[in-house]
Amino acid sequence: MARIKTLFVACCALVVLALSGQSAWPQSGRTIHLIVPVPPGASTDAVARLMAEQIGRAQGVTIVVENRPGASGMIGTEAVSRAAPDGNTLLMTANTYLIDAQMRKANYHPVTAFDPICYLVQSPAVFVVNSASPYKTLKDMLDAARAKPGELTMAAVGPGSTFQMGFTTFTRAVNVTMTYVPYAGSAPAATAVLGQHVTSAFAGYAVVSENIKADKLRALAVATMKRIEPLPDVPTFDESGFKNLEVDNWFGIVAPVNTPKETLNQFAGWLKAALQDPEVKAKLALQGLYPVGQCGDEFAGYIRKRFDDYGEMIKESNIKAE
């Protein structure tokens, strides 16, 4: 009996030693899946890949970016909400995930089904037309819209996105009728303008920046309170005479609810470090993306507030899911 007891104690000691020698999560060889619920090419996708590349390089872990678009982002979002809270599956998301579930039947709650990690970056919204368009200013386009009610079209991610809300608020404020054309992402919406299938588009600067630089798209206005550095000559909606129109477009990473706190903190540390990397900053700036780095409880509080804010906007604008 004494011998058995001695063997038991020895085994316990070996287990403790083995555990103490383990490195912090994640263990080497682990693969982290970062789900992007929109098509490739969108701002959400671009930020996800930039973060995955930088963290993989700096931390020596493997982060696989997986695009799972559909149902305005709800398919990929639901998949992550059902994933095990073990730190192996994360969701790269945008503010629209707080909106979609308030307009459609969702099998998850965007606030309670996830643990927020970090609010990473924000992207200003830009109103663009094809460079061949006759509209040189926002006023030119509005004059044409008044002359031809309903004929001019505007593409944007949606329905139910902040872009649609901004469009609805804007057209009501200026008393014009334009037709909203929803797309699965900002990149397809911008492509529709390039192909002259629609008159205009409302998209994040990160998506349209290269085509603006290449003079394929013309920016008529930015939906920010101040002009943005990459487009110093493009006026804000406010400067164009349309007060208080600001469309927020932000990107962050969340995990399935009940993910261990230490895992969330480790991810937050990695993401903050990535945002401070000079190369990452330069790449973000080129796309018109601005680092925020708001993590943990602060990000959680922001999410709760914006969820309520968007709910009020949906009711006031009487926006319905299509």
Side-chain angles (χ1 to χ4, degrees):
M1 193 71 184
R3 186 175 180 180
I4 293 175
K5 183 177 181 180
T6 301
L7 287 171
F8 177 75
V9 172
C11 288
C12 287
L14 288 172
V15 170
V16 170
L17 287 171
L19 289 174
S20 64
Q22 288 183 346
S23 59
W25 184 97
Q27 301 300 314
S28 59
R30 272 261 180 93
T31 298
I32 301 164
H33 296 268
L34 181 55
I35 307 303
V36 179
V38 296
S43 298
T44 315
D45 180 67
V47 174
R49 294 181 186 280
L50 182 59
M51 292 294 102
E53 179 184 357
Q54 175 58 25
I55 290 175
R57 183 167 57 241
Q59 306 300 334
V61 297
T62 301
I63 301 181
V64 177
V65 176
E66 297 181 14
N67 295 88
R68 295 192 193 178
S72 295
M74 294 179 72
I75 290 177
T77 302
E78 181 179 345
V80 176
S81 74
R82 294 176 179 275
D86 54 11
N88 291 331
T89 306
L90 305 176
L91 176 68
M92 180 73 211
T93 191
N95 49 337
T96 49
Y97 97 108
L98 298 176
I99 298 169
D100 296 327
Q102 298 194 67
M103 299 182 65
R104 301 172 178 81
K105 178 178 173 54
N107 295 319
Y108 59 88
H109 191 287
V111 176
T112 60
F114 302 96
D115 282 332
I117 299 177
C118 281
Y119 173 167
L120 298 174
V121 298
Q122 56 180 301
S123 171
V126 184
F127 197 75
V128 298
V129 295
N130 191 291
S131 58
S133 168
Y135 310 124
K136 307 295 183 183
T137 67
L138 193 57
K139 183 179 182 303
D140 291 342
M141 186 169 179
L142 292 178
D143 288 343
R146 290 190 181 96
K148 300 178 286 186
E151 289 189 28
L152 272 63
T153 52
M154 189 215 72
V157 59
S161 67
T162 50
F163 293 111
Q164 184 194 12
M165 292 182 189
F167 165 75
T168 302
T169 301
F170 169 64
T171 52
R172 285 184 176 181
V174 297
N175 195 28
V176 299
T177 302
M178 293 177 64
T179 300
Y180 166 69
V181 184
Y183 280 83
S186 289
T191 299
V193 181
L194 288 168
Q196 300 189 53
H197 304 300
V198 294
T199 310
S200 61
F202 216 177
Y205 177 71
V207 173
V208 297
S209 60
E210 291 304 314
N211 283 311
I212 291 175
K213 293 173 185 176
D215 198 30
K216 295 179 180 179
L217 292 177
R218 178 185 302 130
L220 301 185
V222 292
T224 54
M225 298 314 293
K226 296 180 180 180
R227 295 193 185 196
I228 62 173
E229 186 176 340
L231 298 175
D233 299 324
V234 177
T236 65
F237 276 91
D238 197 73
E239 289 176 320
S240 301
F242 313 107
K243 302 298 181 183
N244 301 319
L245 181 64
E246 185 174 14
V247 177
D248 60 343
N249 190 31
W250 52 264
F251 309 95
I253 291 183
V254 299
V257 70
N258 295 324
T259 296
K261 189 71 173 178
E262 59 271 22
T263 300
L264 299 174
N265 290 339
Q266 186 171 45
F267 274 128
W270 289 353
L271 291 166
K272 284 182 178 180
L275 290 174
Q276 292 302 313
D277 182 82
E279 184 179 344
V280 170
K281 282 186 173 181
K283 288 181 178 180
L284 290 173
L286 285 173
Q287 298 181 68
L289 294 170
Y290 301 90
V292 177
Q294 187 182 79
C295 302
D297 292 340
E298 193 176 7
F299 184 29
Y302 182 79
I303 282 179
R304 288 191 296 270
K305 181 181 183 304
R306 293 309 285 152
F307 178 79
D308 293 339
D309 290 343
Y310 294 144
E312 290 181 12
M313 290 174 67
I314 291 168
K315 291 178 182 178
E316 290 176 2
S317 300
N318 195 31
I319 296 175
K320 305 291 185 182
E322 296 180 7

